[in-house]
Amino acid sequence: MKVAFIARSSLFTVKGGDTIQIQQTASHLKEFNVQADIRLTHEKINYDDYDLLHFFNLTRPADILPHIQSCNKPFAVSPILINYSEYDKQYRKGIVRLIFRFLSADKIEYVKTIGRWAKGQEKIKSQYLFRGQQNSIKKIIQKAGIFLPNSEMEYRQLVRSYALTSDYSIIPNGVDEKLFQQQGPIEKDNNMVLSVARIEGIKNQLNLIKAINDTKYQLYIIGSASINQSAYYHECRESASENVHFIDHLSQENLIPYYQKAKVHVLPSWFETCGLSTLEAIAMNCSVVITNKGFTYEYFNNHAFYCDPALPSSIRKAIDEASKARPCKKFQQKISTEYTWRNAAIKTHNAYKKTLSLS
């Protein structure tokens, strides 16, 4: 079987959780005789070379529409359904925030897409301009062979927002279980706090910094600044006290020493479908703090400390509790055996076979 993974044009220049998800899934699909070629949305693709197409990021329908209207191949969609609207309405600055407060989540995404197009960062076809965000997503849903959400909560949100009627299969996110495992009896530093994520407003590093400034904790923020949020990055740097340290994006291999030493990992985002770095941190025996916004509870249940991203005091309280807690070995084992990229590839392969049998 030959599959085209079609992902955002900035997949490798602005790396995120979807970059890891796509690369790892493609790699593990080889075990099942599936060749998955990673192609970017702006590339010209010979669809006849493939049995099936697999799109990522439903919230960027302008990337997907031109492809599905140019071919008749069956396709799957991994929605990665992130809702940016709370951050956009409440915490952006200036005239942008005032405008966004009166718009729905889909209309906000439409305006942002047009903005990226105006800056020359994206190409947009006329069908997206005329349809708009919501109707473009509904068009994709109508034509998709199968949806592959990361959780049941994400699927239910798709149903509520877009009346999703396509077939679906849950494909949980994972970790590289061979890479992310505690190496021997390395002592944790109870005051070392880690946050691995791209630096941007949705990830909420600014409120994390406010929560931890001038405390006993040493905070290590690891990640590159988002391409369109340099002002936010500089605000984070300027707001940080001496106990906050910034480290540029690291490969997964180079993250290992930090995960090994840190006692707590924090991801206080305004929205998370899962939080890949949180999964990795648990596998590395860290206690974890994560946002209460999004679909995180389905993954972590009572094995994480939850925070309200709007309140630095809530983030600080969760960190204090996590720093005193013992990680659950049973749940750590579950992460390392059930939430793996190999298991994700198995489920993805089964979904492909089902879709092709019905096409």
Side-chain angles (χ1 to χ4, degrees):
M1 187 188 304
K2 194 172 181 182
V3 179
F5 277 17
I6 304 177
R8 59 184 173 90
S9 59
S10 58
L11 186 72
F12 299 118
T13 55
V14 184
K15 294 180 179 180
D18 57 344
T19 310
I20 296 170
Q21 177 183 345
I22 290 167
Q23 290 178 316
Q24 289 282 357
T25 305
S27 176
H28 285 280
L29 280 171
K30 294 176 184 177
E31 299 178 40
F32 309 102
N33 295 316
V34 177
Q35 179 182 330
D37 294 341
I38 300 175
R39 308 296 300 272
L40 304 182
T41 52
H42 65 281
E43 296 178 7
K44 184 174 179 58
I45 300 171
N46 186 353
Y47 307 112
D48 290 335
D49 288 344
Y50 300 99
D51 301 297
L52 182 134
L53 309 179
H54 186 165
F55 295 99
F56 296 81
N57 292 305
L58 184 63
T59 49
R60 300 172 72 101
D63 287 345
I64 300 174
L65 271 182
H67 293 286
I68 68 173
Q69 294 187 342
S70 298
C71 74
N72 293 315
K73 290 287 182 179
F75 67 90
V77 180
S78 290
I80 313 179
L81 194 68
I82 299 176
N83 187 339
Y84 294 88
S85 63
E86 183 173 2
Y87 167 74
D88 288 328
K89 289 182 178 184
Q90 302 297 329
Y91 297 96
R92 283 191 182 271
K93 295 186 176 181
I95 189 68
V96 172
R97 183 176 70 174
L98 294 176
I99 294 171
F100 284 174
R101 291 180 102 175
F102 296 99
L103 301 179
S104 67
D106 283 321
K107 288 181 179 177
I108 290 172
E109 289 305 315
Y110 182 76
V111 171
K112 286 157 65 176
T113 301
I114 298 300
R116 292 192 295 267
W117 169 70
K119 293 179 180 178
Q121 296 172 351
E122 290 186 9
K123 294 181 179 180
I124 299 177
K125 299 291 185 180
S126 59
Q127 58 262 43
Y128 175 76
L129 293 173
F130 292 131
R131 287 182 185 276
Q133 179 82 1
Q134 186 176 62
N135 287 332
S136 294
I137 288 175
K138 288 183 175 180
K139 181 67 175 179
I140 295 165
I141 287 172
Q142 290 169 6
K143 297 191 70 174
I146 193 166
F147 269 74
L148 306 177
N150 293 142
S151 66
E152 191 72 31
M153 291 177 70
E154 184 179 19
Y155 166 72
R156 291 199 296 267
Q157 185 61 55
L158 283 166
V159 172
R160 287 192 297 269
S161 299
Y162 306 107
L164 175 67
T165 55
S166 300
D167 194 10
Y168 78 101
S169 178
I170 304 298
I171 314 291
N173 275 324
V175 299
D176 183 340
E177 73 279 13
K178 295 179 181 177
L179 183 62
F180 294 107
Q181 53 180 314
Q182 193 70 18
Q183 302 292 328
I186 298 176
E187 185 178 354
K188 293 284 188 180
D189 180 345
N190 289 337
N191 292 330
M192 181 175 174
V193 178
L194 191 62
S195 185
V196 179
R198 191 166 60 227
I199 300 175
E200 56 186 351
I202 191 73
K203 295 297 184 181
N204 201 32
Q205 286 94 348
L206 184 58
N207 274 354
L208 171 58
I209 290 167
K210 291 177 180 178
I212 218 162
N213 266 348
D214 299 317
T215 64
K216 65 180 180 179
Y217 299 110
Q218 295 294 317
L219 170 63
Y220 292 82
I221 295 176
I222 301 180
S224 300
S226 183
I227 191 170
N228 289 318
Q229 296 201 30
S230 59
Y232 181 82
Y233 171 74
H234 289 302
E235 185 176 6
C236 287
R237 294 294 300 246
E238 290 169 2
S239 300
S241 296
E242 291 185 359
N243 62 319
V244 179
H245 315 277
F246 292 84
I247 299 172
D248 204 0
H249 173 84
L250 295 176
S251 67
Q252 290 198 295
E253 291 81 2
N254 288 330
L255 284 172
I256 296 297
Y258 293 93
Y259 282 133
Q260 286 178 326
K261 194 69 176 174
K263 170 63 177 178
V264 180
H265 182 271
V266 189
L267 205 59
S269 313
W270 290 105
F271 196 96
E272 282 292 344
T273 58
C274 161
L276 286 184
S277 57
T278 303
L279 287 176
E280 294 166 357
I282 292 172
M284 295 296 293
N285 207 34
C286 297
S287 297
V288 296
V289 173
I290 196 160
T291 181
N292 60 11
K293 308 285 187 180
F295 313 131
T296 55
Y297 192 78
E298 184 169 328
Y299 278 83
F300 305 111
N301 202 270
N302 295 320
H303 300 289
F305 295 87
Y306 294 88
C307 66
D308 182 342
L311 300 174
S313 60
S314 174
I315 299 170
R316 170 65 186 278
K317 182 174 182 291
I319 291 171
D320 286 341
E321 292 172 346
S323 69
K324 300 170 186 174
R326 291 184 179 181
C328 177
K329 293 291 185 181
K330 187 175 181 180
F331 187 63
Q332 182 183 349
Q333 184 63 27
K334 180 180 180 180
I335 295 292
S336 299
T337 54
E338 294 184 23
Y339 291 110
T340 68
W341 291 120
R342 187 176 190 278
N343 285 348
I346 291 171
K347 293 178 184 292
T348 302
H349 183 219
N350 289 336
Y352 289 166
K353 290 188 291 185
K354 181 179 181 181
T355 303
L356 290 173
S357 71
L358 297 173
S359 63

